[in-house]
Amino acid sequence: MERTLSIIKPDGVRKNVIGEVIRRFEAAGIHIAAMKMLRLTKAEAQGFYAVHKERPFFDSLTDFMSSGPIVVMVMEGEEVIKKNRELMGATNFKDAAPGTIRRDFATDIEQNVVHGSDAPETAAFEISYFFNALEICS
Ligand code: CMP
């Protein structure tokens, strides 16, 4: 059993696809173990995406991620990191496979509806950024 962090980004919330995104996760057999809606400050977005701080898109990305509410979830399941990334599709929606969340709902490489951890180590950091142990229901 593995855990990953999923975020429905501000554009996903604005597009009213929270329910549809979660429906796809559940239909794929993924269990939601924790969930909340919140709005990041710019500094909190910078802390979450610190790994990208040298990238040219860092300032714009953290402006976007603090532009409105997000939904953060801990998801559990076998190979859930990989499964979630398959459901999301490629970072750039133009490269994402048909039927993936980003292909269906994203309009921009930055405003790409969802985020998902890319490895067990990043999942551990990202989950602990938003949730403490008592908030996660296995
Ligand atoms: P995410 O999977 O959350 O990881 C980092 C985010 O940076 C990515 O989704 C996009 O929102 C954004 N991103 C990645 N590459 C680019 C890029 N070339 N230009 C702008 N934003 C990007």
Side-chain angles (χ1 to χ4, degrees), residues 9 49 52 57 61 91 102 109-110 112 115:
K9 297 184 179 187
Y49 278 118
H52 294 306
F57 56 80
L61 172 63
T91 302
R102 285 166 169 165
I109 189 169
E110 180 174 273
N112 61 359
H115 167 84

Side-chain angles (χ1 to χ4, degrees), residues 51-113:
V51 67
H52 294 306
K53 65 177 185 295
E54 306 302 335
R55 300 288 198 94
F57 56 80
F58 182 67
D59 193 48
S60 166
L61 172 63
T62 52
D63 273 347
F64 162 57
M65 287 301 290
S66 56
S67 70
I70 60 174
V71 175
V72 288
M73 292 171 276
V74 177
M75 309 204 298
E76 278 185 344
E78 270 178 42
E79 299 203 322
V80 70
I81 294 174
K82 180 164 161 256
K83 208 183 259 185
N84 181 36
R85 293 178 71 79
E86 285 168 3
L87 292 168
M88 290 192 299
T91 302
N92 188 344
F93 74 103
K94 290 179 181 165
D95 302 325
T100 60
I101 293 166
R102 285 166 169 165
R103 178 67 171 263
D104 289 348
F105 303 116
T107 49
D108 190 287
I109 189 169
E110 180 174 273
Q111 305 208 9
N112 61 359
V113 186

